[in-house]
Amino acid sequence: MTLRLIILGRQGAGKGTQSIRISSRYGIPHISTGDMLRAAVVEGNELGIRAKAIMDAGDLVPDDLMMSIVTERLSADDAQGGFLLDGFPRTAAQATWLDTTLAPGGIDMALTIEVPDEVVIERMLARKRPDDTEDAIRRRLDLYEEQTKPLLSHYAERVATIDGHAAEDTVEGRVAEVIDAYLA
Ligand code: ADP
């Protein structure tokens, strides 16, 4: 059985940490579009050159570019048994595109990790990524509210909301509980 998951949640909600844990727990690849873009920037390839300024400003990389990156990644062998997509979809166009790409089934479940505002900002300022300046953080949080949060209603029938304001192990247990219930 395949397990095709996406994970939503604001920046600083602990998506990245939980994604790594869930991916190893269920043996599915963790596909983080942010990690892929950052790798392209470090490599200095054409994608990286295009994406760098956009990412530094906290803006969104154009949909068509994201779709082609994700198309390529999802066609790899290791993604055929399922995956955990982290950071994609982020816009309605990306979500609609993903539905079509995965038709007829679509994704199995959309996980969303929720944490209070003050925790998000505190966690984000504590990490040391080049795009974690205060302006870029604010921009990313605004874009999340505006473009990504509405995806929760797009996936209304398959969303699992997880309270992320707890220790990492506890949050992992909560995520595993909803996935196990789905698989049972
Ligand atoms: P965060 O969750 O902190 O925003 P990510 O690692 O998911 O960080 O993404 C970092 C940056 O990469 C985003 O701010 C954006 O510029 C770009 N990016 C990642 N995924 C997407 C996407 N699906 N669509 C558009 N831009 C994206």
Side-chain angles (χ1 to χ4, degrees):
M1 166 173 194
T2 62
L3 185 57
R4 306 198 286 197
L5 306 174
I6 65 169
I7 187 161
L8 303 168
R10 288 187 299 179
Q11 294 73 17
K15 259 185 316 149
T17 307
Q18 293 303 325
S19 294
I20 293 165
R21 288 167 170 248
I22 294 307
S23 124
S24 77
R25 188 169 182 134
Y26 294 94
I28 49 176
H30 170 213
I31 302 181
S32 158
T33 48
D35 286 352
M36 290 166 77
L37 291 169
R38 280 185 289 277
V41 171
V42 170
E43 219 179 274
N45 60 25
E46 206 186 313
L47 168 65
I49 292 164
R50 278 187 72 180
K52 186 172 188 328
I54 300 173
M55 293 171 75
D56 284 347
D59 281 326
L60 292 173
V61 172
D63 285 335
D64 57 340
L65 203 56
M66 294 312 302
M67 291 166 191
S68 75
I69 297 168
V70 173
T71 301
E72 195 182 331
R73 183 63 188 87
L74 292 185
S75 70
D77 284 349
D78 70 338
Q80 302 319 303
F83 49 78
L84 173 57
L85 255 181
D86 166 13
F88 187 100
R90 243 184 174 86
T91 65
Q94 292 177 10
T96 307
W97 173 86
L98 187 65
D99 291 345
T100 310
T101 300
L102 301 178
I107 60 156
D108 294 301
M109 199 186 289
L111 304 164
T112 177
I113 303 191
E114 308 272 323
V115 289
D117 279 0
E118 60 277 12
V119 178
V120 166
I121 308 270
E122 195 182 294
R123 285 184 184 173
M124 287 182 79
L125 290 172
R127 29 181 233 199
K128 296 267 177 290
R129 248 169 49 184
D131 60 340
D132 279 345
T133 61
E134 216 170 315
D135 283 350
I137 291 174
R138 195 164 299 124
R139 178 77 184 134
R140 299 216 297 284
L141 290 172
D142 285 350
L143 284 173
Y144 185 82
E145 290 298 312
E146 216 174 86
Q147 309 228 29
T148 309
K149 212 171 167 190
L151 301 185
L152 293 175
S153 34
H154 180 92
Y155 292 114
E157 294 104 64
R158 41 190 109 174
V159 164
T161 303
I162 290 120
D163 174 2
H165 193 199
E168 290 178 11
D169 283 344
T170 309
V171 180
E172 181 187 351
R174 291 173 182 165
V175 178
E177 205 173 304
V178 299
I179 297 176
D180 290 345
Y182 173 82
L183 291 173

